[in-house]
Amino acid sequence: MNVPHPTEPVFQLHRGSAPLLISLPHDGSLIPEAFKSRMVESARRAPDTDWHVSRLYAFARELGASILVPRHSRYVVDLNRPPDDVSLYPGQNTTGLCPGVQFSGEAVYLDGQAPDEAEVAQRVELYWRPYHDTLVAELDRIRGEHGRAVLWEGHSIRGEVPFLFDGVLPDLNLGTAAGKSCLPELQARLEGILSAQNDYDWIANGRFKGGYITRHYGDPEIGVQAVQLELSQRNYMDEDSFAYDVAKAARLQPLLQALLRATLQAQDA
């Protein structure tokens, strides 16, 4: 099918003053009707959205951070996958560039309705590329003004997703492409903050090591560090109703703020 052109911008960019860009590539939940009508009922709710992460990170504007947020669901196109759809986790269950399977293991599309290669390519041009072009331009702007930049990838997921991983996911999952996407000093600062608190359990470079954006754009040698933080949604929302929990979020946000402040302090060091 011919993919309909978006009638509104596919992302929102808040441009800040600090050397920090927060990318929230799975925050969007909009699915155009042309795609939704071909999906199974359960997929039409966009259940695999990183619900409310833009609300959770809204405080970062006060830190001077730039924030990039898409409008559309990962079911339209997954902004954190490479355009050639090479698996980020070979040998493990995962989802692709235009996902055909939900995190539950159920199909996204009705029989015979999944996008073909030509449609996937159109979605990449209309929805994926504008986000990445803007991300690159904003990193270049920040680096031009400050001489350096940190890209913070904000994500969230249900704490238990048997299709993707065994057992219960830790509360906070730090990913730095196994130490390749940021300097050791920054990772040590972040791990120090996580180790000093007792409210949430955490892991670094466990099941989630950082997706395409972290791995592709994190290049400490040119002054761009990248970090992904995958949050278990149970800590700021109700995982079944997708409702934001103000009290839980308020308890978590000071830790997120401390982590972001540490990235800025590392930049100033």
Side-chain angles (χ1 to χ4, degrees):
M1 67 169 290
N2 287 322
V3 175
H5 283 249
T7 57
E8 298 183 51
V10 297
F11 60 83
Q12 292 182 334
L13 172 65
H14 166 77
R15 185 169 286 130
S17 58
L20 173 63
L21 171 60
I22 298 176
S23 166
L24 306 173
H26 295 149
D27 180 86
S29 60
L30 178 64
I31 304 174
E33 187 58 37
F35 304 141
K36 186 182 292 187
S37 62
R38 296 156 55 196
M39 294 178 176
V40 301
E41 185 64 32
S42 59
R44 295 174 186 177
R45 298 179 66 208
D48 300 332
T49 301
D50 293 11
W51 295 104
H52 311 298
V53 287
S54 58
R55 181 176 180 181
L56 189 67
Y57 278 100
F59 69 86
R61 294 186 179 210
E62 299 173 8
L63 301 179
S66 296
I67 306 176
L68 182 60
V69 186
R71 297 184 67 242
H72 294 86
S73 167
R74 70 194 302 158
Y75 287 173
V76 175
V77 69
D78 192 327
L79 299 170
N80 202 29
R81 295 293 185 274
D84 60 6
D85 206 15
V86 171
S87 177
L88 297 173
Y89 296 96
Q92 301 183 45
N93 284 344
T94 185
T95 57
L97 180 61
C98 289
V101 63
Q102 303 177 50
F103 287 175
S104 64
E106 300 172 85
V108 171
Y109 292 92
L110 299 165
D111 288 346
Q113 295 297 313
D116 59 17
E117 289 185 11
E119 181 180 340
V120 171
Q122 285 185 285
R123 294 192 192 190
V124 167
E125 289 304 313
L126 293 174
Y127 296 93
W128 187 97
R129 200 160 305 283
Y131 188 91
H132 283 262
D133 287 348
T134 300
L135 190 154
V136 170
E138 187 63 9
L139 285 176
D140 286 346
R141 181 193 69 81
I142 291 171
R143 196 156 52 109
E145 291 185 5
H146 300 276
R148 63 210 184 278
V150 167
L151 172 60
W152 186 273
E153 275 286 294
H155 294 261
S156 73
I157 192 170
R158 290 179 69 96
E160 295 184 62
V161 186
F163 178 70
L164 296 181
F165 51 82
D166 295 330
V168 179
L169 196 67
D171 295 322
L172 296 97
N173 302 266
L174 197 67
T176 63
K180 297 177 182 177
S181 66
C182 74
L183 293 171
E185 293 80 5
L186 176 54
Q187 182 161 332
R189 281 177 182 259
L190 298 176
E191 290 187 6
I193 289 170
L194 293 171
S195 295
Q197 56 81 43
N198 298 310
D199 293 328
Y200 303 96
D201 60 357
W202 64 278
I203 193 170
N205 293 307
R207 172 61 179 84
F208 295 98
K209 296 177 173 61
Y212 172 76
I213 293 176
T214 301
R215 302 184 199 191
H216 184 72
Y217 296 110
D219 189 350
E221 290 188 1
I222 66 168
V224 178
Q225 302 187 72
V227 175
Q228 176 176 297
L229 183 63
E230 186 88 48
L231 300 168
S232 288
Q233 291 175 342
R234 61 179 176 267
N235 293 301
Y236 72 91
M237 59 175 276
D238 181 85
E239 294 184 330
D240 295 322
S241 68
F242 308 148
Y244 190 76
D245 188 315
V246 174
K248 285 184 176 180
R251 182 169 174 260
L252 175 61
Q253 284 172 318
L255 178 55
L256 298 180
Q257 186 174 64
L259 292 169
L260 294 184
R261 287 189 181 279
T263 68
L264 292 172
Q265 291 166 0
Q267 292 283 286
D268 293 335

